[in-house]
Amino acid sequence: MRLLLGFGSCGLAAGALTVSESMQKVLADTNLQLTLVGCNGMCFAEPLLQVIDDAGENYYYGNLNEDIASNIAKALLAGQIPQQNLLMQDANDFLAPQTRVALAHCGLIDPENIEEYLWVGGYTALKKAVLMNLEEIIAEVKLSGLRGRGGAGFPTWLKWQNTRLAPGKEKFLICNADEGDPGAFMDRSLLESDPHSVIEGMVIAARAIGATQGIIYVRREYPLAVKRIGKAILQAKNKGFLGDNICGSDFNFNLRLVQGAGAFICGEETALIASLSGKRGMPTFKPPYPSERGYHDLPTNINNVETFANIAWIINNGGLSFGDLSNDENSGTKVFALTGKIKRGGLVEVPLGTTFSKVIYEIGGGLKNGKEAKAIQIGGPSGGCLPGKLLSTLKINYEELASVGAIMGSGGLVVMDDSTCMVDIARFFMAFNKDESCGRCTPCRIGMVRLEELLTEICQGQGKEEYIPFLETLGKHVKSTSLCGLGNSAPNPLLTTMRYFPEEYAAHIKEKRCPALKCQALLDYSIDEEKCTGCGQCFKVCSAGAISGMRKQAYHIDSSLCIKCGMCQSSCLFDAVKISSKGVAM
Amino acid sequence: MTDFSQVDSILNKYTNVSESLIPLFQDIQGLFGYLPQEILRYVADKASLPLAQLAGVATFYSQFCFTPPGKYEILVCLGTACHVNNGESMASIIAAETGLAEKEVSADGLFSWQRVACLGCCSLAPVMMINGQVYGNLTHKKISAIIRQLRKESAGGVKI
Ligand SMILES: Cc1cc2nc3c(=O)[nH]c(=O)nc-3n(C[C@H](O)[C@H](O)[C@H](O)COP(=O)(O)O)c2cc1C
Ligand code: FES
């Protein structure tokens, strides 16, 4: 029997450490052992224990605390399958429709122990690859149809071939683990849960392009991923999968880890290279592409974490099988970080060509409170907001997403309901992109400042009708004239919300009303006298002196004094503060 | 008096200082909690690099700060998932509970807070992190309780 406890960042944040301690106490000196694994994607149920009995049956126990976990451990020791906190339905509905390639071992093996990776067939692809010639490896990746999973979807084989054929005395390999999309955590989870699969993919890539040195560039907010990948590199070196004479061949490859310092733009490949060279992370004009002139001016191949995590599978199973995984012209699978107002949020891997409604309603279980999805946001600050009505027909496909104004992106998928304001979301992403602009080119540096100002005015009820055509024109200018991918895609959230939700812009501008009750300047606060217990909490937190009343009697808000900070509402324990957005009469 | 010997041993790790400014600053910030100006000057002198180059690189990246942070540095997540789940209100609540503007340090040196984008625990949104520890599913009540607890622990001299 195997007992697997989720020990990724999300599990630990939810309390997996105390859960593990209480279980270890019970299991000490018994024949049952607890294995600390990464994340199997069921973040909605953390802390999470998976039990695999000797017949291979799976049992999932979610939302554990110390006491429950200790009881479960005792019952398991006694040979029972406890029913408490057993999540069979949720786990089955969530996991069964998925196809796992990149996530195949996540949550099933101890990421800090290379033996476990070897036990599930790890590094067999590398052993195979060192016997293949370089063209054969690239040909196999070409057959697979794999495209970059970092956002743009460039054919992986072609990038490898370009780097291999580019003149240069040495070649360099970089894994982009900067994962800048705020609201996405696919790469973090992969590095925390199965670091060796990324390393194996990298070593195979290095062999194919003829690189002798590589770097994994990790985001600084990911301390656990840094620790695990660091450990994995040492273990792989000791086993001869990294370093000199890999797997007994004449092929040498050394890998090191570099931490970013907090800049979204450093996910862009030329900015990443600038940052590795100790400079400000400013992108440069392409061409030359990194495959021609990159790190230290050497031909450099950059791929995303998930792209590398697919490579060993492709070498083991053949490129054609990878194409067969999907029923679509786009081959293989894609991992998404499913978040927002979703019931079962977490990491999901599905074949390309799957519809969004399958991901959201079948795998994700629909929205919290059973609401309909108003919109999804895909691709983060470079992506778009798509309306709920598209979800049943829209497929996860690079070209289809581009045709509706969004991008595949790296895998951020945020589900929104009627409490999310689309104008506010456009403003939120514009503010993010403006802050993260490196300032090198004028359209991006100044255009986004203006766009954010206008959106802020609209959210504050000061927008004018002529802003709408202006936003669209300026947005398109920034998109077409910026130097790098940040500016080229930053207006996408704005343009898609304008395209699919024009009525929300109209409500803010013409009626000074926020239908989602989100834009605080457009809200009216009042107290529900039935619910108010007269505890005085709102009176205490109101810094504007707008609340009056007597203890034990209903309090009252003077709207002429109210500064709409929302503190009364968030501090009320009885849900007695009501908000509405009446707007102004037209 | 600033002890430069530790800075020297950090500097000795790097053969090419100009190319290694980012890991070098990460080491220095790990030592002091921030990048003290006299240390930057010292490094510039030692490595014969213009101070402007060091300042240019250090100010580009949000990780680096130039004043000491509070003993408890609160990072409020405002990534997309947290934004959609009321993250901005959590920031206002933290501002109100600590009485501090963003990046301001309290007079007793105990608290400072700032917004960050995504701590990678989106399924627990809204989220904040205090000295490496993540707190999820935040509410006004929970934030007040955590801050009160930290004040108490600090007054009692208990380390967290
Ligand atoms: C503003 C911006 C941010 C980016 N951030 C990331 C990132 O966080 N991770 C990533 O893998 N690629 C990111 N990219 C894409 C990279 O430039 C590059 O295309 C990618 O790493 C190539 O790998 P792939 O072909 O395997 O997708 C970003 C691009 C831009 C323009
Ligand atoms: S958006 Fe807050 S943790 Fe990801």
Side-chain angles (χ1 to χ4, degrees), chain A residues 9-10 13-14 43-44 181-185 188 219-222 259-263 265-266 275-282 295-296 339-341 345 368 414-416 420 424-425 427-429 432 438 518 567 570-571 573, chain B residues 18-23 26 29 53 55-57 59-64 75 78-81 83-90 92-93 96-97 114 116-125 129 133-136 139-141:
Chain A
S9 285
C10 43
C43 306
F44 62 91
D181 174 355
F185 49 91
R188 167 182 70 68
R219 191 166 176 243
R220 69 139 180 150
E221 285 88 344
Y222 291 172
Q259 283 191 63
I265 188 61
C266 289
S275 157
L276 281 178
S277 314
K279 299 189 194 130
R280 291 164 71 90
M282 289 178 145
Y295 184 58
H296 284 179
T339 62
K341 303 281 182 180
K368 292 178 187 163
V414 186
V415 180
M416 300 167 176
T420 307
D424 175 68
I425 279 291
R427 185 200 55 75
F428 166 78
F429 281 117
F432 179 89
C438 78
K518 179 84 188 175
M567 293 303 280
S570 67
S571 69
L573 298 175
Chain B
S18 172
E19 196 172 86
S20 316
L21 286 178
I22 294 162
Q26 284 167 336
Q29 189 156 307
Q53 182 186 342
V57 172
T59 52
F60 187 87
Y61 297 95
S62 67
Q63 174 177 11
F64 302 121
L75 307 178
L78 278 164
T80 319
H83 178 77
V84 169
N85 282 302
N86 262 337
E88 195 52 60
S89 311
M90 301 306 130
S92 323
I93 292 163
E97 290 284 333
Q114 70 177 88
V116 295
C118 197
L119 296 167
C121 299
C122 315
S123 37
L124 304 173
M129 188 193 261
Q133 158 98 30
V134 176
Y135 300 85
T139 59
H140 193 136
K141 210 173 140 193

Side-chain angles (χ1 to χ4, degrees), chain A residues 147-156 159 175-181 187 219 264-270 272 286 302-308 382 410 433 484-487 489:
Chain A
R147 295 167 65 169
R149 300 296 192 229
F154 191 80
T156 303
K159 204 187 267 188
C175 172
N176 188 344
D178 200 42
E179 193 153 68
D181 174 355
D187 297 346
R219 191 166 176 243
F264 172 64
I265 188 61
C266 289
E268 197 281 338
E269 48 197 22
T270 59
L272 190 157
K286 293 189 276 194
I302 303 189
N303 280 122
N304 169 261
V305 173
E306 188 186 332
T307 311
F308 284 124
S382 318
S410 57
N433 282 316
C484 84
L486 190 140
S489 59

